[in-house]
Amino acid sequence: MAIIDVQELTKSYRVYRKREGLMEGVRGLFHRDYTEVEAVRGINLRVEAGEFVAFLGPNGAGKTTTLKLLSGVINPTGGTATVMGFVPWQRQNEYRRRFALVMGQKNQLWWDLPAQESYRLHQQIYGVPADRFQKTLDELTDLLEVKDLLGQPVRELSLGERMKMELIAALLHSPEVLFLDEPTIGLDVIAQHNIQRFLRFYQEQRKITILLTSHYMKDVAALCKRVVIVAGGLVQYDGSLAGIIDKFSGKKIVTLQFADGDRPADLDRLGTLLDTHWPKVKIGITRADVPRVLAETLRDYAIEDVSVEDPPLEDVIADLFHQVS
Amino acid sequence: MSLASHLPPIGIGQRLRIWSIIVRTGLSERIAYRGDFALGTLMRFLPIITQIFLWGAIFNAVASDAGAERDDSQRIGGFNFPDMVAYFLLTMIARAFSSMPGLASGIASQVRQGEIKKYLIQPIDLIGFLLLSRISHKLAYYVVATLPFAFVFFLCRGFFVAGFPPPHVFVAFLGSLLMGFLIGFFLEASIGMISFWLLEVNSLLLIFMLFSFFLSGHMFPLTLLPESVASVVNLLPLKYLAYFPAAVFLNKIPEDELATEMLIEAAWLTFFIVACRFMYSRGIRRYSGFGG
């Protein structure tokens, strides 16, 4: 049985439309215009235990809303979902003791107290036996190298350090399912890398199930074999990262290094010219046409070097997001 | 490391440990803000001095109108001058239990900024958590305030002309303080819960505080109100926040009505507990998890 099973999940919000201007504001006191915003329009998803799945999508795609639904923060408008057999929005304590949600932009820790005190509180709230708590805490602080920071008020920590502390807080009760919403947002490259390395190691060791949303393709490439693209409140793609290019990009990027000489005037018959630094030319060519066009090119021109590549993943995804929205 | 094994079930003992650590964490937080906290505590004693002078002047004026010297036989709303001062000292104690600074606005800001999420995700009840934190704040307050309170009461001991109340009245007084604390908590928490619907509850809260200031007996004993107004105000729960405990201590509640009055207070408390719980369970259903 899938550990996360989501079927036709929908969530719409009623949003009050405020018009501009004072008079309109006064009118709004008596008559309000509402619009329904469908944040999630029918998501289907099955995740097996031990998978590390990335949720990709433009802002407002419904990623965070889906995570909120799965962690029981909000109630759905329609559809069903179970996580470990529990319906999240029933908020049973047995469920809440077995998962965790980390939001890159939100604190769970007490701002003016050292993280250590928040952890003690978590230990009791989740009912973690003392010896197990100490062992887990030692392991996590070792891995994240934050042992010295445990006694410092959270407000004095840097963003990267705080994120590590948040992760520890979320993992102290050894959740079986972990939801991560933008865990590396706002972090510098080194801090991002540290968090990625930790998450990869921790997931491999513990075989827990993780659902991650992130805007950083590097996070995704480093961590997840499976990628789910959400846009417009629907799942647009579910498969491997490499598969995205096969499915959504019909093009290859061919780079030609011409032998010196005059630039031919009819280069654009080969495909879409992307970049020209004569004698080097980058051309986008439809996948199926690549062998034919290459053969013709090599026959007709003096070429010193050729490379054929997939377009950058970021570009493919950006195009895809653009199309959907 | 291996796949997480299940956590043991949470029994009564664990529940008590949860309560105790929430109180202790709340205390540590108070200690983190100790400077602000100590100052705030001491400032609370200033108004009582103005009250003593103000009511001294009022009693003098009433006496000179009647062409006499001020003496303790003069009564305003059933209170003579020493009674009046004793009354204000006692409402200060009542308010130390029933006032809930920042509770409703705190809930509202947690709803608006999405921090309430953590209580939905973690295996913990928001209302219970807030109540325990409030208890720890109050405890910290009593630790700081007991000495100054004792000192002020010692200086003002002459105003308590009737002496110490009989034991059963004193027990009722303690009960009314405790229920006053709980009514104050659940009443303000209910106002905070309105933020699930209205988002901005500060003006509402201001109106409530204004009414509470006059109709709880914080400003003057409720017996000073005209008969027709007093009969309505007496039906409201606001009097339990200040007037009622003080009136109990000063024997202003007739003995035969004391038990009934306490029962009515308990009924109001039950009402606000139910109202707060109901609004919370309705509120989180329509909550849309603002802020990321």
Side-chain angles (χ1 to χ4, degrees):
Chain A
M1 200 187 120
I3 195 162
I4 299 175
D5 191 354
V6 178
Q7 280 173 19
E8 293 301 322
L9 197 61
T10 60
K11 173 72 185 177
S12 52
Y13 296 109
R14 215 160 71 120
V15 179
Y16 164 50
R17 283 225 318 232
K18 191 179 183 309
R19 287 164 204 249
E20 218 172 313
L22 180 62
M23 283 317 287
E24 290 295 343
V26 173
R27 261 202 10 215
L29 294 175
F30 304 101
H31 179 78
R32 301 202 136 199
D33 292 331
Y34 288 100
T35 37
E36 292 276 322
V37 174
E38 291 185 47
V40 172
R41 294 161 180 253
I43 292 229
N44 291 296
L45 182 70
R46 285 170 69 85
V47 177
E48 300 299 327
E51 277 194 277
F52 200 144
V53 180
F55 253 42
L56 292 182
N59 287 330
K63 304 178 304 266
T64 303
T65 305
T66 308
L67 285 196
K68 282 181 191 163
L69 285 163
L70 291 180
S71 47
V73 173
I74 52 176
N75 288 35
T77 313
T80 61
T82 56
V83 182
M84 296 178 282
F86 295 97
V87 175
W89 44 90
Q90 289 176 352
R91 302 185 190 95
Q92 284 158 282
N93 277 347
E94 298 95 280
Y95 174 54
R96 300 198 288 184
R97 292 175 76 203
R98 288 171 61 184
F99 85 96
L101 167 70
V102 178
M103 303 195 126
Q105 287 158 304
K106 278 278 168 302
N107 291 308
Q108 298 207 42
L109 301 170
W110 291 49
W111 189 246
D112 292 302
L113 295 181
Q116 177 80 50
E117 297 209 28
S118 290
Y119 295 161
R120 293 253 167 237
L121 187 66
H122 274 233
Q123 180 207 342
Q124 299 300 346
I125 288 175
Y126 284 93
V128 185
D131 48 341
R132 192 166 140 187
F133 167 77
Q134 201 51 55
K135 190 167 160 272
T136 316
L137 183 61
D138 287 344
E139 271 172 12
L140 292 170
T141 47
D142 269 353
L143 279 172
L144 287 163
E145 298 166 346
V146 288
K147 208 150 236 162
D148 304 340
L149 304 175
L150 283 174
Q152 250 182 56
V154 171
R155 61 162 191 270
E156 291 172 9
L157 302 177
S158 74
L159 193 60
E161 290 165 345
R162 218 153 63 215
M163 194 59 229
K164 289 178 175 179
M165 294 304 194
E166 289 284 336
L167 273 174
I168 293 175
L171 296 173
L172 279 175
H173 63 286
S174 310
E176 292 151 71
V177 173
L178 179 62
F179 301 120
L180 297 168
D181 191 25
E182 305 278 356
T184 57
I185 197 160
L187 301 186
D188 65 40
V189 183
I190 297 169
Q192 278 180 34
H193 186 73
N194 285 338
I195 300 274
Q196 283 166 9
R197 209 178 46 187
F198 167 76
L199 286 173
R200 190 167 53 222
F201 178 78
Y202 188 84
Q203 200 272 341
E204 275 168 11
Q205 295 292 308
R206 298 242 175 174
K207 305 278 181 274
I208 64 171
T209 312
I210 304 184
L211 225 63
L212 163 114
T213 75
S214 180
H215 282 300
Y216 297 109
M217 214 46 70
K218 292 236 165 62
D219 277 358
V220 179
L223 297 170
C224 308
K225 292 194 187 73
R226 180 175 168 199
V227 174
V228 174
I229 294 185
V230 186
L234 287 167
V235 172
Q236 310 282 351
Y237 173 82
D238 186 344
S240 71
L241 199 57
I244 296 177
I245 297 173
D246 294 339
K247 182 157 183 202
F248 294 104
S249 170
K251 290 197 169 159
K252 288 262 181 188
I253 309 286
V254 176
T255 312
L256 301 168
Q257 176 86 35
F258 286 78
D260 278 342
D262 285 340
R263 183 187 152 164
D266 57 349
L267 274 182
D268 47 359
R269 73 182 173 94
L270 302 175
T272 323
L273 280 185
L274 299 174
D275 195 18
T276 323
H277 281 285
W278 185 257
K280 195 174 187 176
V281 179
K282 259 189 185 176
I283 309 174
I285 300 175
T286 312
R287 200 178 285 261
D289 295 342
V290 171
R292 181 182 56 77
V293 174
L294 267 185
E296 286 175 19
T297 313
L298 293 170
R299 186 191 64 209
D300 299 344
Y301 307 102
I303 305 289
E304 285 188 345
D305 192 17
V306 179
S307 74
V308 181
E309 291 159 312
D310 282 322
L313 188 61
E314 274 93 345
D315 293 0
V316 177
I317 291 178
D319 279 351
L320 175 64
F321 288 177
H322 196 69
Q323 281 167 31
V324 178
S325 56
Chain B
M1 288 198 269
S2 65
L3 184 63
S5 52
H6 284 280
L7 295 168
I10 289 182
I12 302 270
Q14 182 57 28
R15 206 155 281 281
L16 289 175
R17 276 195 290 277
I18 294 176
W19 294 354
S20 115
I21 189 127
I22 293 173
V23 171
R24 275 183 288 144
T25 311
L27 284 173
S28 324
E29 197 200 20
R30 287 290 98 172
I31 292 167
Y33 304 129
R34 56 194 170 268
D36 170 64
F37 181 60
L39 198 65
T41 306
L42 294 177
M43 291 304 274
R44 285 209 184 192
F45 289 98
L46 281 184
I48 189 73
I49 298 167
T50 12
Q51 288 283 12
I52 293 176
F53 283 116
L54 176 70
W55 285 96
I58 292 173
F59 274 93
N60 279 339
V62 171
S64 69
D65 269 359
E69 283 288 297
R70 186 178 91 192
D71 67 48
D72 292 351
S73 66
Q74 263 158 11
R75 286 173 184 274
I76 299 177
F79 287 76
N80 60 19
F81 179 64
D83 267 352
M84 196 62 92
V85 175
Y87 174 81
F88 282 109
L89 286 167
L90 288 164
T91 54
M92 205 165 68
I93 292 190
R95 297 270 310 157
F97 278 80
S98 67
S99 74
M100 298 287 150
L103 178 60
S105 55
I107 294 175
S109 94
Q110 289 205 327
V111 169
R112 204 173 42 234
Q113 307 194 0
E115 268 154 38
I116 207 157
K117 279 196 218 60
K118 88 174 173 201
Y119 301 98
L120 302 175
I121 294 161
Q122 295 176 6
I124 191 157
D125 169 54
L126 170 75
I127 297 173
F129 184 89
L130 289 177
L131 180 60
L132 290 165
S133 310
R134 193 51 65 161
I135 289 173
S136 68
H137 288 190
K138 290 289 183 195
L139 284 178
Y141 175 67
Y142 302 145
V143 167
V144 177
T146 300
L147 263 182
F149 258 104
F151 183 63
V152 170
F153 271 74
F154 176 75
L155 289 182
C156 298
R157 64 193 179 284
F159 294 111
F160 289 84
V161 281
F164 209 76
H168 70 281
V169 175
F170 188 68
V171 170
F173 169 68
L174 292 181
S176 70
L177 286 180
L178 192 65
M179 283 200 276
F181 164 72
L182 292 170
I183 288 180
F185 176 84
F186 284 102
L187 174 63
E188 268 220 28
S190 302
I191 296 175
M193 295 300 167
I194 295 174
S195 60
F196 281 114
W197 288 265
L198 285 182
L199 275 194
E200 184 53 67
V201 295
N202 278 336
S203 339
L204 203 70
L205 197 61
L206 199 70
I207 296 171
F208 164 74
M209 298 222 288
L210 208 66
F211 273 95
S212 163
F213 194 58
F214 288 106
L215 304 183
S216 69
H218 184 195
M219 193 64 192
F220 47 76
L222 296 179
T223 45
L224 253 65
L225 291 167
E227 192 66 43
S228 54
V229 181
S231 58
V232 177
V233 171
N234 249 315
L235 296 175
L236 298 178
L238 292 174
K239 65 175 179 183
Y240 300 112
L241 303 178
Y243 171 77
F244 186 70
V248 170
F249 190 93
L250 294 173
N251 269 318
K252 301 285 176 189
I253 310 285
E255 290 253 333
D256 51 336
E257 287 173 25
L258 191 57
T260 323
E261 283 287 337
M262 297 292 287
L263 278 176
I264 297 173
E265 181 171 16
W268 272 114
L269 173 58
T270 316
F271 169 79
F272 282 116
I273 293 174
V274 172
C276 182
R277 284 270 162 216
F278 178 75
M279 289 170 77
Y280 180 54
S281 71
R282 277 304 166 98
I284 52 178
R285 245 187 275 171
R286 73 192 300 286
Y287 178 57
S288 36
F290 310 103

